[in-house]
Amino acid sequence: MDFLLSEDERRFQESVSEFAKRHIEPRWIEIDEKGRIPLELIKSMGDQGLFAIPVPDKYGGMGGTVLMAALAIEEIAYHDPAVAVAVYALLNNGWPLALSLFGSEAAKQEILPKVASGDAFFGIGSTEPQGGSDVAGTRTVARRSGNKWVVNGEKTYISGVREIQELPAGGGFFLVSKAESAEYGHRNMVDFALLPKWNGKMRDGWKPTVYDDIGRHGLSTGGFKLEDFEVEDDLRIGDVGKGFYLLMEGFNIARVLVAAATIGSARWALDRGAEWLRSRRLFQGRPLASFEGISFRFSELYAELEAAKYFVYRAAWMIDKTYLENPPRFKPKDLNVPVSLAKMKGPETATRIYEEVLKWLGAYGYTKESAVYRGWLGTFSYTIGAEGTQNIMRYIIARDVIGSEYVSHTG
Amino acid sequence: MRVLAYADNRSWAAQLASAADALGGDAAVFVPGRELADDAAKLYSEVFFSGLGPFEPVSYSAAFSEAARSFKPDLALLPCTNKGRSIAGLYSSAAGIRSATDVISLSARAGDSSITVRRLVYGGRAEAEFLMSAPAAICVVQGSYPERGPRGGPGQVHEVPAPDPASSVDFKPKRREGAQPEEAEVVVVAGRGIRSKEDLELVKGLARALGGAWSVTRPLAADQAGPTPGWGSPGWS
Amino acid sequence: MKILVAVKPTFDIGQLKFEKDGTPLLDACPVSLGEADRCALEEAMRIKERLGATVAAATVGSSEAHYKAIRDSYAMGADEGYLVKADDPWKLDALSVASAIARVAAATGPYDLVLTGSGAGDTHASVIGPMIAGILGIPLIAGVDRLEVRGPGVVAGTCKLEDGSYTYEARTPAVVTVTSEANAPRIPNLRAILRSKGMQIREMSAEELGVDLRRLEPLSVRKYEIKRKRIIYKAEDQKGAAEASAELLAALRSEGVLS
């Protein structure tokens, strides 16, 4: 067992760290304050090859691995603790990979190169007003009509709704819907690459709104109604009836990248905390670090962060051995627990670290000037539970480890 | 130890003179112009000069080498500046001798022709002590030796023919903006209350209006070197 | 055009730590391609992209970091890479390194330009470039922050020196040393990094090059502590203050603190 990164992984990690230090770190606060990632930054990230990292070369991707994507997201988040840029990057790594694994050749050729170059966005469109976790309860319906599908429904709490409208090519979502009827169940679902704006043109039948989040302002969260939105059949991702299962596989990929973002941000917070503990002196010149109530808490948080980090790397490594190697070492269902562990630990560890660091900073931490609160709010969205709630992660682990016959409450 | 120094201003001539004193023995200096030669003659018993144009490393080091051919030094001492290091590199490779830069002290060992050299390494974070044998070329860090005052009668001055430059040179002297804090009657100083680059421009503007100089307190000087909120960079202090 | 870039892995001195007795902990210090060397490679790449050129990278030393330095040069776009084998490379003296590079240039050239960073962050500060020029007997432009090819066989470089700005124009072949302010070196993307892994590095020995590699063993290396001089300038009144200030100013000037 070799716990060290390979030389290529380290060199790639250093290159992303340098890019992030040069181009992202000077602007992360402004991005969070103004609520926008500048389009030239997105484009330069595309030029640098930070999107579609695990997508094969022939579709414009970097031909890398999910582990490399996780390393990149972690470094970006370290330099963007409010994580808007990191989340933008992770969405445009995870969901393009899912498209590359399950989509049609025509869809891949059409969509992936533009996502890799930073000209288009490709995220996830799953959550609906009546529920996110209960995917079997999806009410968006797609009905076949000749060579295309007509989709009706509504999605909420979707990232990228504003960005799609502003990017030159546009973009869309890995969209999950029911096939023909909205009946409850797992077996009647179908996925699409739904592109509300493509090649610079808006399509009919897509009605978006943008929400006002409490944090991670740089990346938009919004919703949209689909009113007889037409999707060509070659943009269907996978077979009819397989939609639920392919979506879950896609979530496994995206969740490990989410965890990577939270640990990158948390590492930044803990580094700032350590600096503070060295320099802040009280009670006749003693550094804060010399008070064991404080330094012991630091050690505990450091341990949690290291553990969360290795959960991420291990899950990413397993995903690579499932999808990017032939013959695969693991089956997709083997990924459920490792990924859920990473996605459970990462955001919650980040939240605990931010809380503690803010306590060490005291009143200064409560001011906007300290900027630490931005990372706290940014990562907290994942503790609340985006890309899969924290309780669903617990459910998955309990179901797979204790046994679904005892744990399952779905039919 | 016979020492041949290179100096392109009075201060360096004086500093390297006291470095040569510390080594004992005869010392001469090479300077790139007649005017400086007369000044240098008050410090050294032998002065070489060449009527050279604006600084060009190949011709300057060729003239220095010519002086060295005549004076036959055990050690060449040069300023540890961009110009000094260029000349040291060219001279030592031409003469096939060792060189050391960033030297902060030198001492001759009694009885042999070697010197103990202390030089700064790792970006100035560490110092290394070496034994070097003559002949060698040494670049000395500014301020390592005090400026020695004039001594004795005027030294002998020899002219060395000026070689042609290897590159053409277009020189633009440094133009100093506004008054210098140490000379100005009025100094406007920005302190911690100044939070942004825009506010700093106000300070500069006031200094200009008063015909004075502007400066900053130490914490701000440190901040300018690193990221702090409000200076257009992230981070926190 | 053919360009040779001499590169060297250097210690990241910002991360250098010391033992209690002042011994530097070099084994624990990260090593990477120096900033000025990367700027030199970047200048070479810009010339290659604008005018067409073959760019070769060369280094002297057999440590893992030296091989990585050539691979990193490939990732930035270099076409060829030469490594002169040498054990214990950190102790090599500057003239040996410069001679080895000059021999590589003679053996694999002819080159129109030899570029290098104007000062390694750790040792050999700024002499390697001038030494290479001296050995090859070609013009030297040292410390450029702007380099341009003005025409066939003519290059010009602008250097900010202590007393002003110097622009030199020289006929090639020439040696140019590049400062870390010259440009923002490109950051290789993953494809370039993966591609660089498979590229051959041509190893050369000191014997085949006919160069004698000499090492300088230091008597000691320890943390540099600046000693406080603790000189007090006292003044009892205005006149005394003016005198004391003048004295202080003169002292600061002679220390090189004020220019």
Side-chain angles (χ1 to χ4, degrees):
Chain A
M1 190 181 271
D2 190 345
F3 277 80
L4 293 178
L5 298 175
S6 71
E7 191 191 281
D8 295 334
E9 285 159 354
R10 268 183 291 120
R11 286 167 76 202
F12 177 57
Q13 185 185 47
E14 279 162 20
S15 75
V16 179
S17 181
E18 190 176 339
F19 179 91
K21 201 179 302 202
R22 220 191 263 182
H23 298 289
I24 298 175
E25 191 186 285
R27 303 152 96 167
W28 77 272
I29 292 180
E30 190 187 329
I31 287 170
D32 194 53
E33 188 62 32
K34 295 220 167 99
R36 232 179 139 261
I37 304 171
L39 289 184
E40 352 69 86
L41 177 57
I42 294 174
K43 187 69 182 119
S44 67
M45 289 170 74
D47 290 339
Q48 186 62 30
L50 296 177
F51 304 130
I53 291 164
V55 169
D57 222 0
K58 63 175 167 168
Y59 301 120
M62 286 289 124
T65 61
V66 174
L67 176 55
M68 287 172 176
L71 293 171
I73 302 300
E74 186 190 338
E75 287 310 307
I76 292 171
Y78 185 85
H79 296 95
D80 167 38
V83 296
V85 182
V87 175
Y88 187 97
L90 80 87
L91 291 169
N92 285 283
N93 269 284
W95 296 104
L97 176 60
L99 176 62
S100 153
L101 293 171
F102 309 129
S104 73
E105 193 61 28
K108 292 190 262 195
Q109 302 273 9
E110 176 63 30
I111 299 171
L112 294 175
K114 295 199 169 75
V115 177
S117 67
D119 292 306
F121 173 93
F122 195 70
I124 172 65
S126 172
T127 306
E128 299 193 346
Q130 77 287 347
S133 299
D134 188 7
V135 174
T138 294
R139 292 188 195 158
T140 298
V141 182
R143 293 188 172 83
R144 188 95 191 224
S145 162
N147 202 18
K148 47 184 166 44
W149 298 75
V150 179
V151 190
N152 281 280
E154 190 179 351
K155 296 291 181 187
T156 53
Y157 307 111
I158 305 296
S159 297
V161 170
R162 177 180 49 77
E163 285 76 2
I164 286 175
Q165 299 174 65
E166 290 178 4
L167 284 163
F173 312 97
F174 185 114
L175 189 109
V176 60
S177 86
K178 292 284 180 170
E180 304 302 337
S181 105
E183 196 185 310
Y184 188 91
H186 304 93
R187 292 184 231 275
N188 60 341
M189 301 188 67
V190 62
D191 300 326
F192 295 98
L194 194 112
L195 308 173
K197 176 176 169 184
W198 197 246
N199 288 332
K201 288 207 318 262
M202 297 295 308
R203 304 279 300 258
D204 288 330
W206 186 67
K207 308 273 189 266
T209 48
V210 178
Y211 309 149
D212 200 359
D213 285 328
I214 61 171
R216 204 193 57 198
H217 297 292
L219 178 64
S220 71
T221 308
F224 52 86
K225 289 196 167 76
L226 294 166
E227 292 167 4
D228 290 338
F229 189 98
E230 293 184 356
V231 184
E232 291 78 21
D233 187 56
D234 62 13
L235 291 179
R236 173 171 46 85
I237 300 176
D239 295 335
V240 177
K242 289 284 192 297
F244 178 89
Y245 306 100
L246 298 181
L247 175 71
M248 290 306 136
E249 292 190 49
F251 270 134
N252 271 342
I253 297 167
R255 282 167 191 171
V256 86
L257 298 180
V258 161
T262 58
I263 61 171
S265 176
R267 205 179 86 220
W268 175 85
L270 204 56
D271 281 355
R272 301 286 78 72
E275 273 170 21
W276 182 256
L277 298 186
R278 288 182 197 115
S279 60
R280 183 72 167 172
R281 283 166 191 264
L282 302 171
F283 296 101
Q284 306 204 299
R286 283 178 60 177
L288 267 189
S290 70
F291 294 92
E292 279 165 355
I294 306 242
S295 69
F296 281 14
R297 193 73 192 103
F298 177 91
S299 303
E300 288 160 7
L301 293 168
Y302 184 81
E304 290 197 45
L305 184 59
E306 285 283 284
K309 186 174 82 175
Y310 283 106
F311 275 150
V312 170
Y313 293 176
R314 194 258 308 252
W317 176 85
M318 286 179 71
I319 293 173
D320 288 333
K321 302 259 175 277
T322 305
Y323 294 110
L324 301 182
E325 259 183 38
N326 231 333
R329 287 260 291 262
F330 303 104
K331 300 196 191 52
K333 68 177 171 61
D334 297 329
L335 300 172
N336 292 338
V337 169
V339 169
S340 301
L341 286 168
K343 208 276 171 178
M344 186 178 81
K345 276 312 246 181
E348 289 174 15
T349 300
T351 294
R352 277 194 284 278
I353 288 175
Y354 271 104
E355 268 182 35
E356 204 66 24
V357 171
L358 285 166
K359 282 189 214 156
W360 298 337
L361 295 177
Y364 179 59
Y366 205 63
T367 67
K368 283 195 154 188
E369 187 189 306
S370 86
V372 174
Y373 79 98
R374 298 178 188 272
W376 180 46
L377 287 173
T379 53
F380 195 60
S381 73
Y382 293 105
T383 298
I384 290 178
E387 215 78 23
T389 70
Q390 296 303 93
N391 285 337
I392 289 292
M393 299 306 111
R394 285 166 168 80
Y395 173 76
I396 291 170
I397 296 166
R399 181 197 65 199
D400 282 14
V401 177
I402 299 175
S404 77
E405 64 212 80
Y406 307 100
V407 166
S408 180
H409 48 57
T410 62
Chain B
M1 282 248 146
R2 282 176 77 74
V3 171
L4 177 63
Y6 170 88
D8 49 23
N9 63 37
R10 208 208 54 79
S11 169
W12 274 111
Q15 289 180 57
L16 296 177
S18 61
D21 283 351
L23 293 163
D26 298 320
V29 68
F30 173 90
V31 298
R34 174 92 232 193
E35 268 176 59
L36 191 50
D38 293 332
D39 252 332
K42 300 189 186 119
L43 295 161
Y44 294 81
S45 55
E46 228 176 315
V47 176
F48 295 87
F49 82 94
S50 196
L52 291 156
F55 179 77
E56 188 280 312
V58 174
S59 54
Y60 272 54
S61 95
F64 181 79
S65 295
E66 193 52 46
R69 242 189 300 280
S70 181
F71 186 72
K72 297 186 184 29
D74 299 304
L75 275 189
L77 290 187
L78 303 102
C80 193
T81 58
N82 183 304
K83 292 175 185 171
R85 288 191 294 251
S86 291
I87 295 174
L90 287 164
Y91 167 70
S92 63
S93 62
I97 63 178
R98 275 201 157 122
S99 71
T101 60
D102 298 284
V103 171
I104 51 177
S105 85
L106 294 157
S107 52
R109 271 161 51 112
D112 64 35
S113 62
S114 63
I115 45 165
T116 310
V117 171
R118 266 173 61 231
R119 59 179 293 240
L120 295 176
V121 291
Y122 306 125
R125 297 200 61 206
E127 56 172 288
E129 201 169 29
F130 286 93
L131 218 49
M132 283 182 87
S133 49
I138 309 278
C139 289
V140 178
V141 172
Q142 164 89 17
S144 302
Y145 288 90
E147 294 182 20
R148 199 200 70 198
R151 195 170 57 196
Q156 276 204 312
V157 176
H158 313 282
E159 180 164 4
V160 166
D164 288 327
S167 319
S168 74
V169 191
D170 177 16
F171 172 57
K172 289 188 178 57
K174 201 186 261 189
R175 209 167 293 285
R176 290 201 161 275
E177 217 191 74
Q180 293 310 294
E182 65 273 19
E183 288 152 7
E185 283 194 13
V186 175
V187 182
V188 183
V189 183
R192 274 277 207 175
I194 299 296
R195 307 215 130 258
S196 71
K197 279 202 166 95
E198 290 73 34
D199 291 342
L200 193 60
E201 288 303 318
L202 290 178
V203 171
K204 294 186 193 179
L206 180 59
R208 267 196 299 275
L210 294 172
W214 71 275
S215 187
V216 297
T217 56
R218 193 189 57 78
L220 246 66
D223 286 352
Q224 281 207 349
T228 331
W231 289 99
S233 289
W236 56 289
S237 54
Chain C
M1 252 188 114
K2 267 190 85 149
I3 306 176
L4 178 68
V5 187
V7 299
K8 185 184 131 139
T10 61
F11 291 99
D12 182 357
I13 50 170
Q15 303 210 40
L16 182 59
K17 297 188 171 56
F18 296 85
E19 298 268 24
K20 265 202 156 65
D21 69 357
T23 318
L25 292 160
L26 294 173
D27 287 339
C29 187
V31 177
S32 60
L33 204 45
E35 189 61 26
D37 283 350
R38 293 206 303 148
C39 289
L41 277 164
E42 177 64 28
E43 287 300 320
M45 294 313 147
R46 290 183 186 189
I47 294 173
K48 176 180 174 181
E49 280 160 6
R50 255 198 343 264
L51 305 167
T54 324
V55 177
T59 195
V60 182
S62 303
S63 81
E64 197 42 54
H66 286 83
Y67 285 91
K68 181 169 178 291
I70 300 293
R71 278 194 287 273
D72 286 343
S73 306
Y74 283 152
M76 280 186 73
D79 307 291
E80 289 152 20
Y82 303 101
L83 184 141
V84 179
K85 291 188 289 201
D87 292 322
D88 216 359
W90 315 110
K91 297 217 175 86
L92 288 171
D93 86 332
L95 191 54
S96 299
V97 174
S99 306
I101 300 283
R103 295 296 172 100
V104 171
T108 67
Y111 291 97
D112 301 283
L113 275 179
V114 177
L115 303 184
T116 188
S118 74
D122 49 9
T123 54
H124 296 330
S126 307
V127 283
I128 299 282
M131 284 176 169
I132 297 172
I135 294 167
L136 294 176
I138 59 181
L140 166 73
I141 307 179
V144 309
D145 48 35
R146 241 181 23 138
L147 174 63
E148 43 170 322
V149 177
R150 280 200 178 156
V154 181
V155 292
T158 304
C159 313
K160 278 205 196 64
L161 303 185
E162 296 82 18
D163 54 347
S165 155
Y166 290 78
T167 301
Y168 298 98
E169 192 182 275
R171 299 212 67 86
T172 58
V175 173
V176 179
T177 77
V178 180
T179 68
S180 53
E181 273 88 56
N183 55 52
R186 64 198 54 194
I187 302 168
N189 67 23
L190 179 57
R191 256 194 233 116
I193 291 171
L194 293 175
R195 185 180 137 264
S196 73
K197 196 165 71 158
M199 289 172 72
Q200 285 276 45
I201 298 176
R202 165 113 175 258
E203 290 169 328
M204 304 172 102
S205 70
E207 297 78 57
E208 91 185 69
L209 289 170
V211 75
D212 182 24
L213 295 178
R214 294 188 303 170
R215 286 165 183 75
L216 251 186
E217 193 69 51
L219 298 170
S220 72
V221 184
R222 60 175 175 274
K223 187 175 188 192
Y224 181 60
E225 320 260 30
I226 297 175
K227 291 162 192 63
R228 290 178 174 280
K229 292 198 169 163
R230 300 187 187 283
I231 301 171
I232 301 174
Y233 293 90
K234 260 201 200 141
E236 308 287 324
D237 54 28
Q238 275 276 48
K239 176 166 171 292
E243 280 164 11
S245 308
E247 253 180 88
L248 176 59
L249 274 178
L252 291 173
R253 277 222 178 78
S254 85
E255 295 281 357
V257 173
L258 292 173
S259 54

